[in-house]
Amino acid sequence: MYINRRFYENYVSTRDVELLHEYSLKILKEIGVSFASEEVLDVFRKHGATVEGNIVKISEELLNKALETAPKSFTITTNAGETPIGERFKPKTVGCYGPSKFLFEDDTFRPALLPDVVKFLKLMHTSEVTDFVNNSAYDTPDLDKNQDNFYIPQVALCLKYSDKPSYGNVANSLNVKKKSLKDAAKEIATMYKEFYDIWDRPVLLTNACALSPLGYSYEVLDNIMGLIEEGQPVTIITCSMTNLTAPAALMGSVIQNNATVLAGIVLTQLIKPGVGVIYGTVSSPTDMRKTAIMIGAPEAQLIQMSSLALGRYYGLPVRTGVGGTDSLKPDYQAGVETMTTLLTTYLGKSDFALNNAGILQSYAVGSYEKFVLDEEVNRILLRLNKGIDISNEKASKVFEEIKKAGPLGNYLAGRTPKEYRDEHHLSKIFNKTAGDPSVLFDEIGDIRQRAAKQIEERVESYKAPDLTKKQQDILNRYLPESEKF
Amino acid sequence: MYINRRFYENYVSTRDVELLHEYSLKILKEIGVSFASEEVLDVFRKHGATVEGNIVKISEELLNKALETAPKSFTITTNAGETPIGERFKPKTVGCYGPSKFLFEDDTFRPALLPDVVKFLKLMHTSEVTDFVNNSAYDTPDLDKNQDNFYIPQVALCLKYSDKPSYGNVANSLNVKKKSLKDAAKEIATMYKEFYDIWDRPVLLTNACALSPLGYSYEVLDNIMGLIEEGQPVTIITCSMTNLTAPAALMGSVIQNNATVLAGIVLTQLIKPGVGVIYGTVSSPTDMRKTAIMIGAPEAQLIQMSSLALGRYYGLPVRTGVGGTDSLKPDYQAGVETMTTLLTTYLGKSDFALNNAGILQSYAVGSYEKFVLDEEVNRILLRLNKGIDISNEKASKVFEEIKKAGPLGNYLAGRTPKEYRDEHHLSKIFNKTAGDPSVLFDEIGDIRQRAAKQIEERVESYKAPDLTKKQQDILNRYLPESEKF
């Protein structure tokens, strides 16, 4: 069992949640949400929503109906097993997602290429704190962009390099030509079903980002419809920025995001009642000095804690995070901000976090070094969350030990006891040694050098999943030329 | 008002606290605590405690009597004003405390000298997140060690360079010769009283560290007695290490520390009922691979949260922290760990934290760069702690803004609104800019370079406090030769 340390409850009260809900309803009823798809507008019309142009106004009744059918939890099934998502389960995580450039171990920033994406897949696959894999940098320059669909080749890489479940991006009108994005989404879902030979359950989870304020693009809606018709769950998120695409006050972001995400969730349940959907936000404050997003700022966590409280109020699985930083390098700032951005997920216990490791400069840059360093932050938070063992049995035992040692005695005797191993997290990458700092630094090296060494070891020891001939044949239909079996 | 986000309550329940208390009492009654001072043993004897050799056994009755007189809060008064300490007040902080070496801006580790201590005093003095100053590195090699007391010259530096209150170390048998440490402590208290011309109130707060397990050295006891007889409050802390000077299980550290600190608190109240005393711990886990303290580890926070819960149960002002890191440099690890180590203080709301900024390698190394970087962590936590403004007034206001912007509209119009400035923390040292990362990195430079620049600016803009001729004369009696007016 994963204990919910209820981090957000100390910031957002039940009364706050009720007020946030009240005003979100007001937005849904009086302002409405824009949906850029005739097919979607028809769905809303058919179910009695008010449709004015592209704007859909949603009543409390329609919302409640959708919230009744949206499940509290759902499970992604792959050949490797089941991954349940929801309040009763440990938060699930995805590694590096979506940057176009990487900061490499030689300290240069360069556009990521397919071999880099493969290397990242190997790190995610071998990570004990990352549950889902993703094709990290997408639409890399070395893909054959004359293909009608150069999105699905990238997705197929996930299945080649890892038997962990995949967390998908949506196909877009740049990487898919000559067919609708809805069909492209269906094709992806079908590839997974065929690959796993699992046809009747969710096998894939995909991220669908709304526009802010209060809108959904044609591209995202097409993907949502395609995936849901194939019985595949989606995460609906917003990524509003204060004072740009949301009001200046944080509360404005929260109610606007909530109304936006709820409208998307209503849509999923109108298309297929009972389909899994994650309620999410990665809304952030804006630095108005340079008009830049600040994903690592404390305000982002305050917005996310409010969203988490709302998601819990609706009984939905909730995505928080990203975990990440606005820094350009895996430096002091990156450490502070990665710890900050993962607090809500791990201590407030959301159900899902994207980019739990490996990104820099908000969403713009991926980094292997940061991935293995961020893993340590995940481990620290998991340890902190585990808490302290205070029990009658332990009390009697330690009292006897203290009595035996006596005042000014010592405890160092023979083998390190089981309690020590049970209750101590020992870092494999952070320095914990005492001694002359100059000598020691020469010995252990810079933390980025240590990270680079771990990356090398991880990539070397990586073992590809065993695939059947049939699975290889399926992937060969999709994989980039250079990656075919 | 500083809101207590009650971070620790999600880790330590009321029932846990009662069990911890029960076993701490058992330790006090059945095992006892060693006090290496005949004068102290006499005090205990006089008040009916059982004294066997150096071991004092304390009854529940004697403890309760002390807890009745120990105040919930107290105030340090200086010429600049009052600094109240206790549950109703913002946590108070001290900067860099106690390392013998510094990591300088040229990236070399060297023993700190007096001018370095002075530079650190200027940073602490100009810090908006540091309440108390301290003579950071003490017993520096350039002090005149032929003096009978080369401790008090260092303390006098605090009064010369800052009008913030001082947080003292205890005098020890190396830096004070030819007089008792009790008299040395009294002399320090008297210097402060005379300097401020305040004779009837606490003017100085001093750290007193017990031995683990379950003991007090002659040196510390002499200082405690001297200070308390002068009406000056002390912080009693333990610094036990799991599996070395405390049991392997964290719970063992907690009850052993609690018994140790309570015994010291009883002593303070027996000497002078009503004198201010802070209940504290900086007990940490041990890395048994190198037998090193891990102050940055999550287990340290679990121990501190338990101690904070106990301190609250006794109604005493509580010290948590240090904030710090086991890293050698202000790197990614340092960022993660400084954020981790300050969580309990700021979000759990303790009353006091030492080393809120500026230390590396556990307690061994000071760093100006880390000081200005750590200040940012303090600011982030203060912002996080402030929370999110959710109110009816704000709801109406942001609703109208959202309505005006409408779906797919925007919020960028004219001057940045007041709400933005009220609710956004803008970092002066962390990167928050978007753009080509290579170009940007060349522009903004490494975070340590940025820190070094801020240090320079701070030191340049530092203004010494205005002292009267009389105050200068008082300090001239104590200051190191090179620092006299």
Side-chain angles (χ1 to χ4, degrees), chain A residues 175-303:
Chain A
N175 54 33
V176 173
K177 290 161 275 186
K178 292 194 192 161
K179 81 160 63 174
S180 74
L181 294 175
K182 183 172 170 183
D183 286 343
K186 278 171 168 287
E187 190 185 2
I188 292 168
T190 307
M191 174 178 73
Y192 275 85
K193 290 178 184 181
E194 198 187 353
F195 179 85
Y196 295 139
D197 197 20
I198 298 172
W199 298 87
D200 57 348
R201 273 162 290 174
V203 290
L204 167 71
L205 180 58
T206 303
N207 204 55
C209 189
L211 300 172
S212 291
L214 300 166
Y216 285 84
S217 70
Y218 156 77
E219 289 183 328
V220 160
L221 290 172
D222 235 30
N223 275 276
I224 291 176
M225 283 189 297
L227 290 162
I228 286 180
E229 285 181 16
E230 291 294 327
Q232 301 308 308
V234 291
T235 304
I236 311 262
I237 60 150
T238 53
C239 184
S240 65
M241 292 169 67
T242 60
N243 207 42
L244 281 184
T245 55
L250 304 186
M251 187 190 180
S253 289
V254 177
I255 63 173
Q256 178 185 290
N257 296 339
N258 189 37
T260 311
V261 173
L262 287 177
I265 288 173
V266 169
L267 174 64
T268 64
Q269 301 305 306
L270 295 182
I271 301 172
K272 200 180 199 92
V275 73
V277 59
I278 296 182
Y279 173 105
T281 189
V282 293
S283 179
S284 295
T286 307
D287 190 330
M288 290 305 297
R289 294 172 300 187
K290 300 266 182 183
T291 327
I293 193 164
M294 306 195 285
I295 72 166
E299 292 84 2
Q301 294 310 299
L302 294 168
I303 294 173

Side-chain angles (χ1 to χ4, degrees), chain A residues 5 10 213 242 244 256 286 288-289 292 299 326 332-333 337 361 374 408 411 420 424-425 427 431-432, chain B residues 5 10 213 242 256 286 288-289 292 299 326 332-333 337 374 408 411 420 424-425 427 431-432 435:
Chain A
R5 298 289 171 187
N10 297 332
T242 60
L244 281 184
Q256 178 185 290
T286 307
M288 290 305 297
R289 294 172 300 187
E299 292 84 2
D326 304 308
Y332 180 95
Q333 174 184 351
E337 294 190 336
Q361 201 190 17
D374 289 352
L408 306 181
Y411 292 87
Y420 177 84
H424 290 69
H425 164 69
S427 178
N431 173 58
K432 298 286 165 187
Chain B
R5 299 288 172 186
N10 298 332
T242 60
Q256 178 184 291
T286 307
M288 290 306 296
R289 293 172 300 187
E299 292 84 3
D326 304 308
Y332 180 97
Q333 175 184 352
E337 294 188 335
D374 290 352
L408 307 181
Y411 293 86
Y420 178 84
H424 290 70
H425 164 68
S427 178
N431 173 58
K432 297 287 166 186

Side-chain angles (χ1 to χ4, degrees), chain A residues 5-7 10-11 16 19-20 23 26-27 30-32 34 55 101 109 211 213-215 242-252 254-256 285-290 292 294 298-299 302 306 326 328-337 339-340 347 361 365 373-374 377 380 383-384 387-392 394-396 398-399 401-403 406-412 417 420 423-427 430-433 435-438 440-441 444 447, chain B residues 5-7 10-11 16 19-20 23 26-27 30-32 34 55 101 109 211 213-215 242-252 254-256 285-290 292 294 298-299 302 306 326 328-337 339-340 347 361 373-374 377 380 383-384 387-392 394-396 398-399 401-403 406-412 417 420 423-427 430-438 440-441 444 447:
Chain A
R5 298 289 171 187
R6 306 198 175 282
F7 189 56
N10 297 332
Y11 293 81
D16 290 342
L19 186 65
L20 294 169
Y23 275 84
K26 231 169 116 69
I27 294 174
E30 298 176 28
I31 303 173
S34 169
I55 309 287
K101 282 188 179 171
F109 298 97
L211 300 172
L214 300 166
T242 60
N243 207 42
L244 281 184
T245 55
L250 304 186
M251 187 190 180
V254 177
I255 63 173
Q256 178 185 290
T286 307
D287 190 330
M288 290 305 297
R289 294 172 300 187
K290 300 266 182 183
M294 306 195 285
E299 292 84 2
L302 294 168
S306 310
D326 304 308
L328 303 170
K329 302 257 174 123
D331 58 7
Y332 180 95
Q333 174 184 351
V336 170
E337 294 190 336
M339 176 52 79
T340 308
L347 307 184
Q361 201 190 17
V365 175
L373 291 170
D374 289 352
V377 173
I380 287 170
R383 172 63 194 100
L384 195 56
I388 178 166
D389 181 8
I390 297 174
S391 64
N392 285 305
K394 190 142 274 184
S396 310
V398 293
F399 178 79
E401 287 168 22
I402 294 167
K403 194 169 174 181
L408 306 181
N410 88 77
Y411 292 87
L412 194 56
Y420 177 84
E423 297 200 41
H424 290 69
H425 164 69
L426 297 178
S427 178
F430 283 5
N431 173 58
K432 298 286 165 187
T433 46
D436 184 305
S438 315
L440 209 52
F441 189 79
I444 62 169
I447 193 163
Chain B
R5 299 288 172 186
R6 306 198 175 282
F7 189 56
N10 298 332
Y11 292 81
D16 289 342
L19 186 65
L20 293 169
Y23 275 85
K26 232 172 113 70
I27 294 173
E30 299 176 26
I31 304 173
S34 168
I55 310 287
K101 282 190 180 172
F109 298 97
L211 300 172
L214 300 168
T242 60
N243 207 42
L244 280 183
T245 55
L250 304 185
M251 186 188 180
V254 177
I255 62 173
Q256 178 184 291
T286 307
D287 189 331
M288 290 306 296
R289 293 172 300 187
K290 300 266 183 182
M294 306 195 283
E299 292 84 3
L302 294 169
S306 309
D326 304 308
L328 303 171
K329 302 258 174 121
D331 58 7
Y332 180 97
Q333 175 184 352
V336 170
E337 294 188 335
M339 176 53 77
T340 307
L347 307 184
Q361 204 191 15
L373 292 170
D374 290 352
V377 174
I380 288 171
R383 172 62 194 100
L384 195 57
I388 178 165
D389 180 8
I390 296 175
S391 63
N392 285 302
K394 191 141 274 185
S396 308
V398 293
F399 178 79
E401 287 170 20
I402 293 168
K403 196 170 172 180
L408 307 181
N410 87 78
Y411 293 86
L412 195 56
Y420 178 84
E423 298 200 40
H424 290 70
H425 164 68
L426 297 177
S427 178
F430 283 5
N431 173 58
K432 297 287 166 186
T433 47
D436 183 306
S438 313
L440 209 54
F441 189 79
I444 62 170
I447 193 161

Side-chain angles (χ1 to χ4, degrees), chain B residues 223-424:
Chain B
N223 276 277
I224 291 176
M225 284 188 297
L227 290 162
I228 286 180
E229 284 181 16
E230 291 294 326
Q232 301 308 309
V234 291
T235 304
I236 311 260
I237 60 151
T238 52
C239 185
S240 66
M241 293 169 66
T242 60
N243 207 42
L244 280 183
T245 55
L250 304 185
M251 186 188 180
S253 289
V254 177
I255 62 173
Q256 178 184 291
N257 296 339
N258 189 39
T260 311
V261 173
L262 287 177
I265 288 173
V266 169
L267 173 65
T268 64
Q269 300 305 307
L270 294 182
I271 301 172
K272 198 179 202 89
V275 72
V277 59
I278 296 183
Y279 173 103
T281 189
V282 293
S283 177
S284 295
T286 307
D287 189 331
M288 290 306 296
R289 293 172 300 187
K290 300 266 183 182
T291 328
I293 193 165
M294 306 195 283
I295 72 165
E299 292 84 3
Q301 294 311 299
L302 294 169
I303 293 172
Q304 285 176 33
M305 285 193 263
S306 309
S307 299
L308 177 53
L310 281 161
R312 287 281 168 260
Y313 177 72
Y314 302 128
L316 294 166
V318 181
R319 176 190 153 188
T320 54
V322 293
T325 180
D326 304 308
S327 182
L328 303 171
K329 302 258 174 121
D331 58 7
Y332 180 97
Q333 175 184 352
V336 170
E337 294 188 335
T338 305
M339 176 53 77
T340 307
T341 54
L342 288 172
L343 286 174
T344 304
T345 300
Y346 280 113
L347 307 184
K349 214 304 229 184
S350 75
D351 308 314
F352 203 89
L354 198 60
N355 281 318
N356 78 313
I359 54 157
L360 289 167
Q361 204 191 15
S362 311
Y363 303 107
V365 175
S367 157
Y368 309 128
E369 291 158 86
K370 183 149 186 290
F371 185 84
V372 299
L373 292 170
D374 290 352
E375 284 184 319
E376 183 63 17
V377 174
N378 286 262
R379 286 189 288 258
I380 288 171
L381 283 166
L382 285 163
R383 172 62 194 100
L384 195 57
N385 189 74
K386 210 176 123 195
I388 178 165
D389 180 8
I390 296 175
S391 63
N392 285 302
E393 301 67 41
K394 191 141 274 185
S396 308
K397 190 165 187 303
V398 293
F399 178 79
E400 289 309 320
E401 287 170 20
I402 293 168
K403 196 170 172 180
K404 195 178 156 211
L408 307 181
N410 87 78
Y411 293 86
L412 195 56
R415 290 182 55 181
T416 304
K418 188 174 173 300
E419 280 83 12
Y420 178 84
R421 291 191 302 274
D422 287 352
E423 298 200 40
H424 290 70

